[in-house]
Amino acid sequence: MKTAVIDVGGGMRGIYAAGVLDTCLENGINFDLGIGVSAGSANIASFLARQRGRNFVFYTNYALRKEYMGIFNFFFKRNYVNLDYAYGTLSNSDGEFPIDYPAMKSNHMDFLVVATNALTGEAKYFGKEDISQDNYDTLKASSTLPLVNQPYIIGGVPYFDGALSDPVPVKKAFEEGCERVVLLLTKPRDFRRVSLSDIKIAERIAKKYPAAAEGLKLRAERYNSSLELAEKYEKEGRLIIVAPDDTCGVDTLTRDKENLVRLYDKGLADGRSIVSFMSEK
């Protein structure tokens, strides 16, 4: 039975899913496919490399540094979050906490990283073959929020965050032949998006990236319809939704360490539900 884990990201709220995945590592839970959106792609990269606790350090230590994100980066680099610092300086083989790329590569688990083509607005699903030692550009592209960051260029193509085109890729997981799916959310399961803030941001990028702006306007609709699909599959026993009952005051760019640790601990505890789900026949 082919299994998948989907991590939808959510900026700093991604520490919740990091906790869930660390519990999976602790209990020897394996998947055939991982699909990561935005920060979720970084979480799954460490899961692939079997580096339990690595993401926790990034959220609670490195993300608090001015080199990682802040107004200084925004004014001088036009990027509030310095993705090259996170997925380059820190993560490369000579970095402070490298991704174990050989372990990631040798892992049998497939990996899809969701990004959005800024010119067409369409989802781009980068694969494991698009990642190499000290080249984690696909993770950067997947995490590039409009206005927060300039689009990330890969092969001459500008990319934005994967949430603009496929915020909750449940349909994609089943299209890939998966029969059982674990969906990691970073907001309560009954949360539904509204379009107001997305529309405001879309208006700011519409002149240069009209297709991406249209995708951003549809983000709430896509998120909500995908959750409805997930709930349908959950009732059929083909999917489990793992989500926090509370976000502990953590939002996309929150850097309150105490609240981040609380949300991580929730993820550690909630991850235990996956153990029984994956053991079911």
Side-chain angles (χ1 to χ4, degrees):
M1 182 175 290
K2 187 174 180 179
T3 61
V5 59
I6 301 170
D7 187 335
V8 304
M12 296 298 286
R13 290 193 314 275
I15 194 169
Y16 171 80
V20 174
L21 291 170
D22 279 350
T23 290
C24 289
L25 285 174
E26 187 177 316
N27 287 274
I29 300 297
N30 297 304
F31 302 95
D32 299 299
L33 172 66
I35 306 179
V37 183
S38 194
S41 63
N43 283 345
I44 292 182
S46 292
F47 180 81
L48 268 168
R50 297 289 187 256
Q51 290 176 284
R52 187 183 188 283
R54 180 176 183 272
N55 290 315
F56 178 81
V57 174
F58 272 73
Y59 286 108
T60 62
N61 184 344
Y62 302 150
L64 308 186
R65 298 176 179 176
K66 63 180 178 62
E67 296 93 342
Y68 195 108
M69 67 175 171
I71 295 298
F72 178 87
N73 288 332
F74 188 75
F75 281 119
F76 291 95
K77 299 177 183 293
R78 299 179 67 202
N79 291 297
Y80 186 86
V81 180
N82 188 344
L83 298 169
D84 289 329
Y85 180 74
Y87 304 129
T89 304
L90 295 171
S91 298
N92 287 344
S93 54
D94 60 352
E96 199 166 333
F97 202 154
I99 292 177
D100 187 344
Y101 176 73
M104 178 193 293
K105 184 178 180 181
S106 63
N107 193 323
H108 82 280
M109 179 176 158
D110 289 328
F111 187 21
L112 292 179
V113 178
V114 188
T116 301
N117 185 315
L119 301 178
T120 66
E122 296 177 347
K124 170 68 175 179
Y125 302 97
F126 290 102
K128 230 173 163 181
E129 67 278 5
D130 298 306
I131 299 174
S132 56
Q133 180 75 67
D134 298 343
N135 176 12
Y136 308 116
D137 286 353
T138 60
L139 307 184
K140 301 173 190 177
S142 183
S143 302
T144 303
L145 292 168
L147 294 190
V148 174
N149 286 79
Q150 296 297 308
Y152 199 85
I153 310 296
I154 297 179
V157 178
Y159 290 96
F160 279 127
D161 193 295
L164 274 67
S165 52
D166 196 357
V168 187
V170 169
K171 183 179 178 183
K172 181 64 176 176
F174 284 99
E175 287 176 347
E176 292 293 315
C178 295
E179 300 165 273
R180 184 163 289 183
V181 174
V182 172
L183 174 61
L184 308 183
L185 304 179
T186 57
K187 284 197 173 184
R189 60 179 296 146
D190 60 355
F191 168 80
R192 294 297 182 268
R193 289 194 67 87
V194 293
S195 300
L196 185 60
S197 60
D198 290 335
I199 289 174
K200 289 181 178 179
I201 296 173
E203 290 171 349
R204 299 280 298 276
I205 67 170
K207 185 174 181 180
K208 193 169 185 179
Y209 301 105
E214 287 303 309
L216 189 52
K217 291 177 183 178
L218 293 171
R219 181 184 179 187
E221 180 183 332
R222 289 169 172 165
Y223 181 96
N224 297 340
S225 63
S226 292
L227 275 193
E228 289 177 9
L229 180 63
E231 290 173 345
K232 172 181 176 293
Y233 284 132
E234 187 173 44
K235 290 176 181 177
E236 297 173 359
R238 302 165 65 187
L239 180 147
I240 183 174
I241 297 173
V242 183
D245 58 3
D246 178 72
T247 59
C248 302
V250 177
D251 210 338
T252 307
L253 300 176
T254 297
R255 293 197 287 178
D256 183 307
K257 187 171 182 177
E258 183 178 344
N259 286 344
L260 287 164
V261 172
R262 287 173 57 212
L263 190 54
Y264 174 78
D265 288 343
K266 278 184 179 290
L268 287 177
D270 292 350
R272 298 185 192 117
S273 64
I274 298 172
V275 178
S276 57
F277 175 76
M278 292 293 288
S279 65
E280 294 173 2
K281 299 299 183 181

